[in-house]
Amino acid sequence: MKKVAVFIDVQNIQQVFEKQGAEIRYDKLKEYLTEKYQKENGEIIKFSAFIPFKQQDENRLKLIDAISLIGYRVLSKQAKERPDGSVKANMDIEMALEIVSLSSVIDEFVIITGDSDFEPLIDFLSRKGKRVLLIGPGRGPTAIEIIRATDEFENLDEIEDVVLK
C-alpha cells in the first residue's frame, strides 16, 4: 500500500477564492482525497495545512480552529507587518521543510497550491522517485511551471462540492 501525504498552502488557496467570493470546504477536500486514494490502494497518513494569520483577524483564527477540528495538522504563524503597512504572510519554507523531512517515508505527495515557488521542491521530489499530484485553483491562478513539473494536475474548481461560489 502506498503512503500518501497532503500539504495545503492555505494562504495561497484562500487568496484566490476569497477574491472570487468563494469558499473552500476543507472537509470535503479531505473526504475526496481519502476516497481517491482508497480506490488506488493508498493510505493518506498525514493531512497538513499551513496557515499564516494576523492576530486581529478573527475569521482566519476561526479557520485555523475549524481545519484542525476536521483532522488536519495545522502549522501556523503570525504574519509580519512591515513598516509600509504591507504584510508578509506565507509559509512556503515551512511547508517545503515539512515535505522534505517526510520524503524518505512517503511514496506520493499531494501539494495543494498555485504558487510557482514550489517548482524546485516538486523537482526535488521527482528526482527522488516520488509521485506528485498538484491540486490548484484553475490554470490561470495556478502557475504553469508547477503544473508542468508535477506528475498530475487537478483543478480544485472541478472537484465536486469543494468550492462553494
Side-chain angles (χ1 to χ4, degrees):
M1 180 173 281
K2 68 180 169 184
K3 293 181 183 175
V4 181
V6 177
F7 300 88
I8 304 176
D9 180 1
V10 173
Q11 178 70 16
N12 178 268
I13 299 302
Q14 285 294 123
Q15 279 183 332
V16 170
F17 288 106
E18 285 172 359
K19 286 179 185 173
Q20 299 174 8
E23 180 184 334
I24 299 295
R25 292 285 312 266
Y26 293 97
D27 57 337
K28 296 293 185 183
L29 180 58
K30 185 176 182 195
E31 287 173 19
Y32 166 78
L33 289 168
T34 300
E35 289 173 18
K36 173 184 173 67
Y37 282 102
Q38 284 175 345
K39 291 176 188 171
E40 297 177 10
N41 195 31
E43 176 188 13
I44 299 178
I45 62 166
K46 186 174 290 286
F47 283 91
S48 297
F50 296 78
I51 313 172
F53 65 93
K54 291 188 282 187
Q55 193 62 46
Q56 65 276 18
D57 187 346
E58 286 296 317
N59 288 335
R60 187 53 59 98
L61 295 172
K62 287 178 185 174
L63 178 65
I64 290 170
D65 291 343
I67 290 175
S68 68
L69 290 171
I70 295 167
Y72 287 85
R73 176 173 184 248
V74 175
L75 296 96
S76 63
K77 72 175 182 184
Q78 190 166 344
K80 295 192 178 11
E81 296 190 46
R82 297 180 175 138
D84 67 0
S86 65
V87 176
K88 172 140 177 55
N90 74 46
M91 295 186 67
D92 294 357
I93 193 71
E94 291 86 349
M95 189 164 145
L97 287 170
E98 187 82 4
I99 290 170
V100 168
S101 72
L102 291 171
S103 65
S104 64
V105 295
I106 299 296
D107 302 307
E108 184 167 339
F109 291 84
V110 179
I111 300 175
I112 303 171
T113 188
D115 190 341
S116 65
D117 290 345
F118 289 102
E119 183 185 8
L121 174 64
I122 293 166
D123 288 341
F124 167 81
L125 293 171
S126 184
R127 285 191 305 275
K128 288 190 66 82
K130 306 301 177 176
R131 187 171 191 289
V132 179
L133 166 62
L134 173 68
I135 299 177
R139 294 190 103 190
T142 300
I144 193 69
E145 299 87 354
I146 58 173
I147 292 173
R148 288 181 189 144
T150 59
D151 297 294
E152 182 182 352
F153 171 71
E154 283 191 47
N155 185 333
L156 191 55
D157 295 291
E158 295 174 358
I159 301 173
E160 190 173 340
D161 298 325
V162 172
V163 179
L164 301 178
K165 296 187 179 188

